[in-house]
Amino acid sequence: MISEIFGECIKTLRSWKRNPILIFIGFISPLLFTTIFIQSFTISEDLSWEVVVVNQDEPIISGSWTEKLIISLESREGTIPYFSVIIYDLDAAEMMLQNRETFVIVIIPDGFTYNISNNEPIVIQVKINNIHEDLSKNLRLGLEARIYQFIQNNQLSTGDRPGYMIHSTLLYTEELARSNYMVSGLLVFITIFVSMLYGGILGSEEKDKNTWKEILMVNNGSSFSILGKLLATLMITSIYVLIILIISMIFYNFSFPNFESIIVFGTISLGLTVLFGLLGVLYGFKVGDFRLIPAPTIIFTFLMWFISGALNPLEFMANSEIFKFSPTASATRIFTATFFGRGTQYLIEAYGIFFFWMILIVLPFCIWVVKIWKDSKINVNRDSQKITS
């Protein structure tokens, strides 16, 4: 039995090596998703929105209140988005807003310096292009954060100054950048995508190449073929996941915090590969046509990746009480807690959900493998008895 499975595995790996298109399909996906879904967020953290400031107060000089406000608006502390200030008159600023050359106008009113100096209330007028709700929300929150920072830095909320004071504490000393958080989701996605894609492609090649009849001529031939292709899928997936790890280490400073995290990563990745690789192989055997593999694989794995909380933490997504039961969601939570120490309160629950899927799918598979092994031994004994007789 072992020789038949390894023989099928080696045959499958040779077929994969001889087909550069198959190698390219699996290699390009990590690069695309790294560039689009992680690099784009990393780049956005370094970009800034242009804010047009219309100064109707006294001329801007060093140390003036208007200069302090502008410095606060351009601060790189706190939440994104960040802003860069350009100064125009009101007519030019409103024309830019209409033409979408800017999305924000901040008007510093006449008497701004006088009112602050004399403890009088001030009104800062802001005009925002609310072309859609996400943009306007982000701009409003960013501006409010910068104005609040201006109030705090200049102690305008203390003593007789008008304003307010908010005392806040952070659960963690440092915020986890979204690009780092998304590494967990990317590792999950690449594992399930590559394993299901190659499982399906390799599973379909027997019917595609008209070698299916030869497989059926051997006792348990189809079973040995499934197991061999699953083993080949495991090896191929390991190669691509290693590539993603190297990319993550180079571009996002990803690293394993301890030896335990390496064991966790290997165990969870192996479980996902077996689960989705087996699904892919069985699907490939069923359809027997390469053309029916890529599109369903992309749709299904992308959906599983999306609902797993790869873009945002699962608890911020709608219906997370349902999504959390997917194996990809539990794997993402396990990786995030293990690599970055975030979401550890869900760790035990995530392990429970993940291993429930492993027991539900992999245990029957293991029982089936044992049955094949026993049948194989019986057939070998029968053949040896025939030869002896």
Side-chain angles (χ1 to χ4, degrees), residues 6-186:
F6 273 100
E8 179 65 30
C9 176
I10 293 172
K11 182 193 79 172
T12 302
L13 289 174
R14 287 175 177 172
S15 174
W16 170 70
K17 287 174 61 178
R18 289 194 299 266
N19 196 332
I21 295 179
L22 292 184
I23 298 176
F24 177 78
I25 290 174
F27 181 73
I28 197 64
S29 58
L31 297 181
L32 284 177
F33 277 90
T34 299
T35 302
I36 295 173
F37 288 102
I38 294 188
Q39 194 65 26
S40 60
F41 283 103
T42 303
I43 292 173
S44 67
E45 291 172 0
D46 297 328
L47 295 177
S48 59
W49 291 86
E50 281 194 344
V51 174
V52 176
V53 170
V54 177
N55 180 32
Q56 298 177 339
D57 195 43
E58 299 175 1
I60 301 173
I61 60 175
S62 178
S64 64
W65 285 108
T66 50
E67 185 195 48
K68 292 178 181 179
L69 176 60
I70 291 173
I71 291 174
S72 296
L73 290 176
E74 292 186 319
S75 171
R76 291 276 172 157
E77 296 180 8
T79 183
I80 57 173
Y82 299 132
F83 301 106
S84 59
V85 170
I86 55 176
I87 300 175
Y88 283 96
D89 60 51
L90 183 59
D91 291 337
E94 290 185 340
M95 183 64 68
M96 293 176 67
L97 188 68
Q98 291 294 328
N99 295 333
R100 296 188 191 175
E101 296 173 3
T102 185
F103 290 90
V104 186
I105 299 175
V106 175
I107 301 175
I108 302 176
D110 182 28
F112 176 77
T113 300
Y114 174 84
N115 287 357
I116 291 182
S117 302
N118 291 276
N119 302 328
E120 296 291 337
I122 57 174
V123 176
I124 298 177
Q125 185 180 359
V126 177
K127 294 186 177 183
I128 297 177
N129 186 331
N130 59 335
I131 188 171
H132 65 79
E133 60 181 359
D134 282 339
L135 175 61
S136 60
K137 176 194 68 176
N138 291 336
L139 293 176
R140 282 188 287 108
L141 291 176
L143 282 172
E144 289 172 2
R146 301 303 177 272
I147 293 173
Y148 172 72
Q149 187 176 11
F150 168 71
I151 293 171
Q152 293 292 85
N153 290 345
N154 296 283
Q155 298 182 342
L156 299 181
S157 56
T158 61
D160 296 329
R161 301 284 192 180
Y164 55 90
M165 173 70 75
I166 296 177
H167 294 281
S168 62
T169 57
L170 297 176
L171 182 61
Y172 302 100
T173 56
E174 294 183 359
E175 294 179 344
L176 181 63
R178 177 178 283 189
S179 57
N180 289 336
Y181 172 82
M182 289 181 66
V183 168
S184 300
L186 179 69

Side-chain angles (χ1 to χ4, degrees), residues 290-353:
F290 168 81
R291 296 170 297 179
L292 299 177
I293 304 301
T297 298
I298 292 171
I299 294 172
F300 180 72
T301 56
F302 187 88
L303 177 63
M304 294 298 294
W305 172 77
F306 181 77
I307 67 173
S308 68
L311 292 176
N312 291 298
L314 193 63
E315 50 270 28
F316 289 105
M317 295 177 61
N319 298 323
S320 61
E321 289 300 314
I322 298 175
F323 296 159
K324 71 178 183 181
F325 291 108
S326 71
T328 51
S330 58
T332 301
R333 280 185 159 177
I334 291 171
F335 284 167
T336 303
T338 302
F339 300 151
F340 306 111
R342 306 298 168 92
T344 54
Q345 61 270 35
Y346 301 109
L347 190 56
I348 296 178
E349 178 186 65
Y351 272 119
I353 294 171

Side-chain angles (χ1 to χ4, degrees), residues 12 114 129 162 195 246 256 276 326 337 359:
T12 302
Y114 174 84
N129 186 331
S195 59
I246 295 173
F256 292 103
F276 285 86
S326 71
I359 293 172

